[in-house]
mmCIF file of all heavy atoms in Angstrom:
data_model
loop_
_atom_site.group_PDB
_atom_site.id
_atom_site.type_symbol
_atom_site.label_atom_id
_atom_site.label_comp_id
_atom_site.label_asym_id
_atom_site.label_seq_id
_atom_site.Cartn_x
_atom_site.Cartn_y
_atom_site.Cartn_z
ATOM 1 N N PRO A 5 -38.601 -8.966 -74.472
ATOM 2 C CA PRO A 5 -39.356 -9.921 -73.761
ATOM 3 C C PRO A 5 -39.895 -11.104 -74.564
ATOM 4 O O PRO A 5 -40.052 -12.275 -73.954
ATOM 5 C CB PRO A 5 -40.641 -9.103 -73.234
ATOM 6 C CG PRO A 5 -40.626 -7.921 -74.057
ATOM 7 C CD PRO A 5 -39.260 -7.678 -74.652
ATOM 8 N N VAL A 15 -29.809 -8.170 -72.615
ATOM 9 C CA VAL A 15 -28.939 -8.812 -73.512
ATOM 10 C C VAL A 15 -27.553 -8.074 -73.655
ATOM 11 O O VAL A 15 -26.540 -8.660 -74.101
ATOM 12 C CB VAL A 15 -29.554 -9.264 -74.824
ATOM 13 C CG1 VAL A 15 -30.605 -10.238 -74.548
ATOM 14 C CG2 VAL A 15 -29.946 -7.915 -75.525
ATOM 15 N N GLY A 29 -39.089 -25.531 -72.817
ATOM 16 C CA GLY A 29 -40.247 -25.677 -73.534
ATOM 17 C C GLY A 29 -40.156 -27.024 -74.521
ATOM 18 O O GLY A 29 -41.293 -27.472 -74.823
ATOM 19 N N PRO A 31 -39.623 -31.056 -75.035
ATOM 20 C CA PRO A 31 -39.655 -32.191 -74.150
ATOM 21 C C PRO A 31 -38.231 -32.790 -74.209
ATOM 22 O O PRO A 31 -37.687 -33.102 -75.101
ATOM 23 C CB PRO A 31 -40.550 -33.148 -74.811
ATOM 24 C CG PRO A 31 -40.704 -32.578 -76.277
ATOM 25 C CD PRO A 31 -40.386 -31.202 -76.237
ATOM 26 N N PHE A 49 -16.690 -14.367 -61.635
ATOM 27 C CA PHE A 49 -15.831 -14.942 -60.662
ATOM 28 C C PHE A 49 -15.938 -16.476 -60.705
ATOM 29 O O PHE A 49 -14.865 -17.140 -60.619
ATOM 30 C CB PHE A 49 -16.268 -14.457 -59.233
ATOM 31 C CG PHE A 49 -15.159 -14.896 -58.217
ATOM 32 C CD1 PHE A 49 -13.878 -14.282 -58.176
ATOM 33 C CD2 PHE A 49 -15.498 -15.698 -57.280
ATOM 34 C CE1 PHE A 49 -12.969 -14.702 -57.328
ATOM 35 C CE2 PHE A 49 -14.649 -16.101 -56.317
ATOM 36 C CZ PHE A 49 -13.270 -15.509 -56.280
ATOM 37 N N ALA A 50 -17.048 -17.013 -60.892
ATOM 38 C CA ALA A 50 -17.170 -18.426 -60.977
ATOM 39 C C ALA A 50 -16.555 -19.082 -62.189
ATOM 40 O O ALA A 50 -16.131 -20.154 -62.141
ATOM 41 C CB ALA A 50 -18.718 -18.860 -60.967
ATOM 42 N N THR A 52 -13.605 -18.008 -63.483
ATOM 43 C CA THR A 52 -12.425 -17.337 -63.350
ATOM 44 C C THR A 52 -11.567 -17.504 -64.715
ATOM 45 O O THR A 52 -11.336 -18.639 -65.032
ATOM 46 C CB THR A 52 -11.584 -17.725 -62.140
ATOM 47 O OG1 THR A 52 -12.341 -17.424 -60.963
ATOM 48 C CG2 THR A 52 -10.245 -17.108 -62.057
ATOM 49 N N THR A 59 6.720 -21.340 -72.076
ATOM 50 C CA THR A 59 8.017 -20.729 -72.406
ATOM 51 C C THR A 59 9.014 -21.984 -72.629
ATOM 52 O O THR A 59 8.579 -23.068 -72.277
ATOM 53 C CB THR A 59 8.561 -19.719 -71.365
ATOM 54 O OG1 THR A 59 8.798 -20.597 -70.156
ATOM 55 C CG2 THR A 59 7.512 -18.847 -70.986
ATOM 56 N N HIS A 63 5.837 -23.756 -67.771
ATOM 57 C CA HIS A 63 4.452 -23.380 -68.171
ATOM 58 C C HIS A 63 3.931 -22.429 -67.021
ATOM 59 O O HIS A 63 4.231 -22.599 -65.867
ATOM 60 C CB HIS A 63 3.446 -24.670 -67.930
ATOM 61 C CG HIS A 63 3.740 -25.729 -69.019
ATOM 62 N ND1 HIS A 63 3.169 -25.670 -70.275
ATOM 63 C CD2 HIS A 63 4.499 -26.718 -69.021
ATOM 64 C CE1 HIS A 63 3.587 -26.734 -71.013
ATOM 65 N NE2 HIS A 63 4.524 -27.370 -70.187
ATOM 66 N N GLU A 75 -4.392 -16.281 -48.829
ATOM 67 C CA GLU A 75 -5.026 -17.218 -47.922
ATOM 68 C C GLU A 75 -6.276 -17.819 -48.342
ATOM 69 O O GLU A 75 -6.747 -18.859 -47.837
ATOM 70 C CB GLU A 75 -5.117 -16.737 -46.448
ATOM 71 C CG GLU A 75 -3.805 -16.249 -45.781
ATOM 72 C CD GLU A 75 -3.377 -14.993 -46.325
ATOM 73 O OE1 GLU A 75 -4.070 -14.135 -46.800
ATOM 74 O OE2 GLU A 75 -2.109 -14.631 -46.045
ATOM 75 N N VAL A 77 -7.010 -18.648 -51.513
ATOM 76 C CA VAL A 77 -6.736 -19.277 -52.754
ATOM 77 C C VAL A 77 -5.906 -20.618 -52.408
ATOM 78 O O VAL A 77 -4.959 -20.507 -51.713
ATOM 79 C CB VAL A 77 -5.993 -18.423 -53.846
ATOM 80 C CG1 VAL A 77 -5.633 -19.201 -54.973
ATOM 81 C CG2 VAL A 77 -6.802 -17.183 -54.018
ATOM 82 N N VAL A 107 -25.507 -4.745 -57.666
ATOM 83 C CA VAL A 107 -24.610 -5.661 -57.287
ATOM 84 C C VAL A 107 -24.044 -6.418 -58.536
ATOM 85 O O VAL A 107 -24.521 -7.222 -59.176
ATOM 86 C CB VAL A 107 -25.190 -6.761 -56.338
ATOM 87 C CG1 VAL A 107 -24.152 -7.736 -55.924
ATOM 88 C CG2 VAL A 107 -25.750 -6.111 -55.048
ATOM 89 N N LYS A 130 5.893 -23.390 -58.252
ATOM 90 C CA LYS A 130 5.881 -22.230 -57.431
ATOM 91 C C LYS A 130 4.720 -21.341 -57.735
ATOM 92 O O LYS A 130 4.243 -21.231 -58.836
ATOM 93 C CB LYS A 130 7.126 -21.401 -57.624
ATOM 94 C CG LYS A 130 8.480 -22.205 -57.185
ATOM 95 C CD LYS A 130 9.607 -21.224 -56.923
ATOM 96 C CE LYS A 130 10.960 -21.900 -56.547
ATOM 97 N NZ LYS A 130 10.901 -23.130 -55.940
ATOM 98 N N LYS A 148 14.388 -33.021 -75.046
ATOM 99 C CA LYS A 148 15.446 -33.864 -75.518
ATOM 100 C C LYS A 148 15.505 -33.852 -77.047
ATOM 101 O O LYS A 148 14.545 -34.153 -77.746
ATOM 102 C CB LYS A 148 15.132 -35.321 -75.010
ATOM 103 C CG LYS A 148 15.287 -35.409 -73.502
ATOM 104 C CD LYS A 148 15.090 -36.797 -73.017
ATOM 105 C CE LYS A 148 15.125 -36.890 -71.598
ATOM 106 N NZ LYS A 148 14.828 -38.154 -71.054
#
Side-chain angles (χ1 to χ4, degrees):
V15 294
F49 189 67
T52 298
T59 67
H63 293 272
E75 296 81 18
V77 178
V107 177
K130 296 201 181 329
K148 294 181 182 176

